[in-house]
Amino acid sequence: MTTAPGGRRRGRTASSVAVMDEDERRRRGGGPPSSWRNGPSSWRDGSPSWRNGPPWWSRSDGQQRRARRPWLSTVLVTVFVLVGSTFAAHAQEGGRAPLDPFARVLLVVGSGLLLWRLRYPVVVVFGTAAAAMVYLGAGYPYGPIFLAVALACFSAIVAGRRWAAWAALGMLWAGHMLVAHWLYRWLPPSGDSAGSWGQELVVATGTVAIVAVSELARTRRDQWARERAERAQAARRRADEERLRIARELHDVLAHSISVINVQAGVGLALLDTDPEQARTALSTIKAASKEALGEVRQVLGTLRTPGDAPRAPAPGLDRLPELVEQAAGAGLTVEVDGPPPRLAPGTDLAAFRIVQEALTNVVRHSGSRHARVRLDHDAGALRLRIDDDGPATGADAGGSGNGLAGMRERAAALGGTIEAGPRADGGFRVLAVLPLQVELEEDDR
């Protein structure tokens, strides 16, 4: 058992109080660098990765309505339909009606409607199906006009208008059956015979294939959308965790140092006239504490400016308990430490140090006792920290409802541990922290 009597507080160099070492950063799951807030640079340069789906599938309906019309693809499809239908007319010459200006108008209308397939998918799918049905009813040759219908159905299903795609395809299929098996007697070309049922099977198979591919694309797009939402939520969660971590570090650094400064300032004012030498000592302690606090705040803020840089100094741990005891002595608090500090993983070591530091700060600020005890005890599975003071409590917020105890609980919970804090039966106050040691093994394995 070691006892540090009250005395002059030794100054020390600024430590990286808030800077986590690399092991703890990996354990907590650090977020992406700030330069990635708007996506990787390859996305901003116009070369998106398709690992999470085509970029236009991530647009909302409102964004799709404001998107530019697909001119290029519509022109290419229209040209293909016109040229392909011309070749089909030559191949089916004598069996189907020749292409005339009305047929070409139907082909252009059916394909040109695709220009609005992103903004008005329902109108487009019914329009292309109607144009194809009139085209077939007029006896014109079979050809690539069905391509426009397929693309319109695909766009409707992907846009969530499944009922429109099914209804349009059903209408086209029913119309084709009427023309092929009944209305052909009164429709061109003259002398045409009824279509075979095998042909209807081919049409039905093609219809089912179009719907199946469209549904598969729709399902895949929904999956990509969920993955993007989950990644965005995870990024927000990491940002919140990092913000809370920085808030805890700033609170622990400033609360401890300002408590020491406050106590020493009171001592200096009280002894300024009667004991100038002791007042000078108190002022020296204030200067050292403020310098140390400034250095540690710079370390915390430095992690925001350069998130990927390595820590300039190792994070504090229980091996620096003697310094913490001496700082408490400078504030007029005598601290007894019982038990040697064990070897801990960096994250657990930092949390244990901060818990002891905050507990001693609370004794200085909220207790009338000038004596505190820190007991370290550990076994194969857990580290137990117990910090006691003899009381009595002073101030309205001495019950343990401030940010300090909340920060201690968050630190312990992040490691899978617990914090119990409350008054003792004899009038003192106790903080009991239990931190698991399995984290050390996990981080060493990395």
Side-chain angles (χ1 to χ4, degrees):
M1 179 179 296
T2 61
T3 303
R8 182 176 177 178
R9 178 173 175 267
R10 240 187 4 227
R12 61 186 174 94
T13 59
S15 61
S16 63
V17 171
V19 181
M20 287 185 171
D21 61 351
E22 193 62 29
D23 289 336
E24 187 176 7
R25 288 173 65 89
R26 288 199 300 266
R27 178 184 59 74
R28 290 200 171 200
S34 58
S35 61
W36 278 40
R37 284 177 188 165
N38 298 318
S41 58
S42 61
W43 289 22
R44 296 193 300 272
D45 295 338
S47 56
S49 170
W50 281 37
R51 179 171 61 88
N52 301 311
W56 58 85
W57 280 14
S58 62
R59 299 172 181 160
S60 63
D61 290 341
Q63 290 174 321
Q64 287 184 353
R65 289 182 180 275
R66 295 189 297 270
R68 297 178 60 184
R69 297 186 181 94
W71 286 96
L72 180 59
S73 60
T74 302
V75 170
L76 291 177
V77 170
T78 303
V79 171
F80 177 79
V81 168
L82 288 172
V83 174
S85 297
T86 301
F87 280 102
H90 288 296
Q92 302 172 41
E93 189 174 358
R96 304 291 294 177
L99 292 179
D100 55 19
F102 180 65
R104 298 187 186 279
V105 169
L106 289 174
L107 293 175
V108 172
V109 170
S111 302
L113 284 173
L114 296 176
L115 188 62
W116 291 274
R117 65 183 184 271
L118 298 180
R119 305 183 76 179
Y120 309 107
V122 175
V123 175
V124 170
V125 71
F126 278 107
T128 54
M133 189 165 58
V134 173
Y135 178 89
L136 295 177
Y140 296 120
Y142 294 101
I145 189 173
F146 295 107
L147 176 62
V149 180
L151 290 177
C153 290
F154 181 87
S155 298
I157 291 178
V158 169
R161 308 299 192 270
R162 183 181 290 108
W163 65 270
W166 279 93
L169 285 177
M171 179 187 71
L172 181 58
W173 190 11
H176 180 268
M177 290 185 64
L178 286 174
V179 171
H181 297 279
W182 182 40
L183 298 179
Y184 70 93
R185 300 181 181 89
W186 301 280
L187 295 176
S190 58
D192 194 12
S193 59
S196 65
W197 289 104
Q199 185 183 40
E200 297 303 328
L201 180 61
V202 173
V203 174
T205 302
T207 302
V208 172
I210 292 172
V211 172
V213 172
S214 302
E215 292 289 352
L216 178 62
R218 166 79 177 177
T219 301
R220 186 57 177 162
R221 192 192 75 156
D222 292 344
Q223 180 181 354
W224 282 329
R226 286 193 300 271
E227 291 174 357
R228 281 191 294 269
E230 290 173 358
R231 283 195 306 277
Q233 183 179 5
R236 288 192 297 269
R237 183 173 61 251
R238 287 193 296 268
D240 291 341
E241 291 174 354
E242 184 67 7
R243 185 172 63 252
L244 290 175
R245 182 189 69 81
I246 294 173
R248 284 195 302 267
E249 294 293 344
L250 287 175
H251 174 273
D252 291 348
V253 170
L254 296 178
H256 179 73
S257 299
I258 291 177
S259 295
V260 173
I261 291 172
N262 181 63
V263 171
Q264 292 298 323
V267 172
L269 287 174
L271 301 178
L272 185 61
D273 297 327
T274 60
D275 192 347
E277 186 61 28
Q278 189 65 26
R280 185 188 303 275
T281 301
L283 292 176
S284 299
T285 303
I286 291 174
K287 180 180 179 181
S290 61
K291 179 180 180 181
E292 180 178 350
L294 287 174
E296 294 182 341
V297 169
R298 289 193 191 100
Q299 293 280 3
V300 174
L301 298 179
T303 62
L304 299 178
R305 297 190 183 96
T306 54
D309 288 356
R312 297 180 180 179
L318 291 179
D319 58 330
R320 287 175 51 180
L321 267 183
E323 298 180 30
L324 196 60
V325 169
E326 188 172 354
Q327 293 168 19
L333 178 67
T334 301
V335 180
E336 297 179 2
V337 179
D338 185 11
R343 178 180 177 271
L344 301 172
T348 307
D349 209 15
L350 174 63
F353 177 83
R354 290 302 185 202
I355 289 172
V356 174
Q357 182 186 50
E358 179 62 28
L360 295 179
T361 300
N362 287 341
V363 174
V364 173
R365 296 175 60 188
H366 306 306
S367 175
S369 174
R370 297 297 88 191
H371 185 268
R373 295 175 296 280
V374 177
R375 178 175 177 81
L376 307 177
D377 187 20
H378 68 93
D379 52 28
L383 168 68
R384 293 174 180 82
L385 300 171
R386 192 180 70 190
I387 302 93
D388 292 286
D389 70 84
D390 298 329
T394 60
D397 56 348
S401 59
N403 293 327
L405 284 178
M408 286 193 286
R409 291 189 177 96
E410 290 171 358
R411 288 184 183 277
L415 298 171
T418 59
I419 289 283
E420 296 179 8
R424 301 200 320 262
D426 57 1
F429 197 85
R430 169 172 294 173
V431 175
L432 177 62
V434 180
L435 304 178
L437 297 183
Q438 285 81 358
V439 178
E440 176 186 7
L441 301 178
E442 294 176 3
E443 295 189 6
D444 287 346
D445 291 341
R446 298 174 186 174

